[in-house]
């Protein structure tokens, strides 16, 4: 949503149908299933085969971690946000060199919150539609269980003080 709010063309690769539908509802014009060879071919056609300038991998799933390098175009930036600490992934590492990729990992949000708050305060993006479930603080254990269940959730919100 932030990239869309800044005028970028956004393409989402999501294996869960529920989340693909949510992305489409949020106005993301190009939503693909990364497990579908047909969808991967269609996504390549969006860029005339050049692939993507920026790839944000946010799941930490082994397939997505490896696939990010393949989706990146020449001189692209690949940013790993998904947390897979200690996980091992077989990936085509030669693509980093062959495509002259800039690869970066990000964990945490040091110095990010002030910028995020300013951006959201500007009104350019309304993040509330990505929240699929709301819980009172007293039900936090249930909220965490739901968020880890792999079910039909996008973001789970726990209201502090309720």
């Amino acid at each position: 949503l932030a990239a869309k709010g800044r005028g970028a063309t956004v393409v989402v690769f999501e294996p869960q149908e529920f989340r693909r539908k949510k992305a489409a509802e949020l106005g993301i014009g190009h939503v693909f299933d990364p497990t579908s060879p047909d969808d991967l071919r269609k996504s390549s056609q969006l860029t005339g085969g050049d692939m993507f300038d920026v790839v944000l991998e946010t799941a930490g799933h082994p397939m997505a971690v490896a696939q990010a390098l393949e989706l990146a175009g020449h001189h692209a930036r690949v940013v790993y946000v998904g947390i897979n600490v200690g996980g091992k992934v077989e990936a085509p590492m030669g693509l980093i060199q062959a495509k002259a990729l800039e690869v970066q990992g990000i964990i945490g949000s040091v110095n990010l919150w002030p910028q995020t708050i300013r951006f959201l305060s500007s009104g350019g993006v309304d993040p509330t539609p990505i929240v699929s479930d709301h819980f009172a603080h007293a039900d936090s254990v249930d909220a965490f269980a739901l968020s880890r269940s792999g079910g039909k959730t996008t973001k789970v919100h726990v209201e502090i003080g309720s």
Side-chain angles (χ1 to χ4, degrees):
L1 286 177
K4 183 177 179 257
R6 292 184 181 260
T9 300
V10 177
V11 178
V12 169
F13 293 87
E14 171 56 57
Q16 294 182 21
E17 184 178 357
F18 170 79
R19 290 180 176 215
R20 286 195 305 273
K21 286 180 181 178
K22 177 59 83 172
E25 288 171 17
L26 294 170
I28 305 300
H30 306 287
V31 182
F32 297 104
D33 179 350
T35 65
S36 164
D38 216 28
D39 274 9
L40 291 174
R41 188 182 75 256
K42 290 176 192 173
S43 71
S44 174
Q45 293 170 351
L46 285 176
T47 62
D50 291 337
M51 302 313 288
F52 301 96
D53 297 328
V54 178
V55 177
L56 300 174
E57 192 293 307
T58 61
H61 186 279
M63 180 189 77
V65 169
Q67 198 172 56
L69 299 175
E70 296 175 15
L71 292 171
H74 287 277
H75 300 281
R77 183 175 182 197
V78 179
V79 181
Y80 290 101
V81 181
I83 297 172
N84 190 6
V85 176
K88 297 191 185 310
V89 175
E90 187 173 319
M93 300 302 289
L95 292 178
I96 295 171
Q97 190 172 19
K99 293 181 176 184
L101 299 177
E102 177 185 339
V103 179
Q104 179 180 5
I106 296 176
I107 191 163
S109 55
V110 176
N111 299 321
L112 184 63
W113 285 113
Q115 180 182 351
T116 302
I117 291 167
R118 281 192 302 277
F119 176 70
L120 291 174
S121 295
S122 73
V125 173
D126 176 12
T128 57
I130 67 171
V131 178
S132 57
D133 300 274
H134 298 267
F135 286 83
H137 183 258
D139 298 320
S140 295
V141 172
D142 294 335
F144 283 110
L146 178 64
S147 71
R148 297 179 59 89
S149 71
K152 294 188 174 191
T153 63
T154 48
K155 295 294 177 189
V156 177
H157 180 256
V158 175
E159 182 69 33
I160 304 299
S162 61

